[in-house]
Amino acid sequence: AEREYHCEGCGISVQTEEPSALGYVPPAALEREMVLCQRCYRIRHYGEIGTVNQNPDIYLQKLGEIAGTDSLVVQVVDLFDFSGSWIPGIHRHIGDNPLLLLANKIDLFPRSTKWGRLREWLVQSARDLGITPIDVELCSAAKGLNMNETITAIEKYRQGRDVYIVGATNAGKSTFINRLLREVGGESQDVITTSPYPGTTLDAIRIPLEDGKAIVDTPGIVRRDRISEWVSPRDLKIVVPGETIRPKVYQLNDKQTLFLGGLARFDYVRGPRQPFVCYVSNRLYIHRTKLDHADVFQEKHCGGLLVPPADPEILPPWKKHVISLRGKEKQDVVIPGLGWIACGKEKATLHLWVPEGIRVMTRPAII
Ligand code: GDP
C-alpha cells in the first residue's frame, strides 16, 4: 500500500493529484525531508494564502471526539477578542475532561494593566458563559511571556494524559504550540504553520511527548460573527493588532459620531459629556464627526477616507444596534474581531452600526 503522508505544517493528509484541492503536494516534494502541502509552503515562503472553505460541522465533529478521551483540554482564547474567540458550548464537546483556560496575547494590553483584576474578570466571564475551568493562565505565545507558568500548569493538570489544544481560529493555538515545543524541546524552527489568516491548521496534529502521550493541535472553529472574518488579508493586517494597544480617548458630547475605519460607526446619541476609550489596532483610522453629518459623511467616504475595507462591497449591509448604558458600572461595547470601546460612568444611549451578523455586546469593563 502507498504510504500516507501528512503535511508537517497543518497536519492535513497530503495528495498529489489535484493541485487546486487541499493538501496538494507536487509528487517530487514527497522526497523532501519535511513534507509541506502547497498551501503551507506558500504561507511560509511567500506569506500568501488561498481561501479555504471549512465546514463547521466537521470541526464540531472533531471536537466531539475529545469527549471520548481521558485528557486535559487547553482552550486558547484571544484576550483581545475574548467573545470572538470563544467556542460556544465547549463543555458539550469535551465531556468530563478538565479545561484549562489560556488567555493569549497579553502583550497587546497596556503595561498599566492590572493583571490580578483581569484574571478575576476572566474567571467571572467564563462562569457567565457556563464554563468552570480548573484554572486560568495568561500568556503571550508570540512574545514568550508567562510561558513557564503556563507550561508548569499544563504539566500539573495533565497528570500523565494527552493534552488537547482547542480554540477559535486566530486565537494563537499554533503559535502557542510552536513556542511550547521550543521552550521544552529546543526546537529551532517553527513546526506548525502560523499565519494571521483564519483557518490555517486544517486537521488534528499529534505531537508525541516523551511519556508516550501527545499534545494534540486541533483545527480552529471559524466564527463568522466577528469582523476579522470578513476583511481581506491585506485589511486584516490593519484590523488585527500586532503590537501593544495605545488606547485612544475621546471626550464626546452627545450627537457626536466615531467611525472605526469603514467597519463600525459609534453614535453617541444621548447623555452628558464623557470619555470613550477605543481599544482597537493602532493602525485603524478613527474619525470623529457630528452625528447630523454622519450619514452623508459615510456615503461619501466609505472605501476612501474610511478604510478598511478598501472595498466596502465585501461587507454585509450595516445594521444598527441600540445600546442603553445604565451608568455607575463601567461597560465595554464590544465589536468582535475589531476591539471594544470602554464607556464612561454616565448613563448613555448609543447607536452602534456594524455589518449585519456581527455579534456586538456589552460587558463589564475588562480593564
Ligand atoms: P491559530 O489559528 O489559533 O492557530 O492562530 P495562529 O497561531 O496562527 O495565530 C493567529 C495570529 O495571531 C497570527 O498572526 C499570530 O502571529 C498572532 N498571535 C499569536 N499569538 C500571539 C500573541 O501572543 N500576541 C500577539 N500579539 N499576536 C499573537
Side-chain angles (χ1 to χ4, degrees), residues 104-105 107-108 139-143 168-176 193-196 200-201 241-242:
N104 186 32
K105 308 197 187 181
D107 57 295
L108 296 177
C139 79
S140 165
K143 299 279 149 63
T169 52
N170 268 345
K173 281 189 313 300
S174 307
T175 308
F176 173 70
T193 303
T194 64
S195 87
T200 307
T201 307

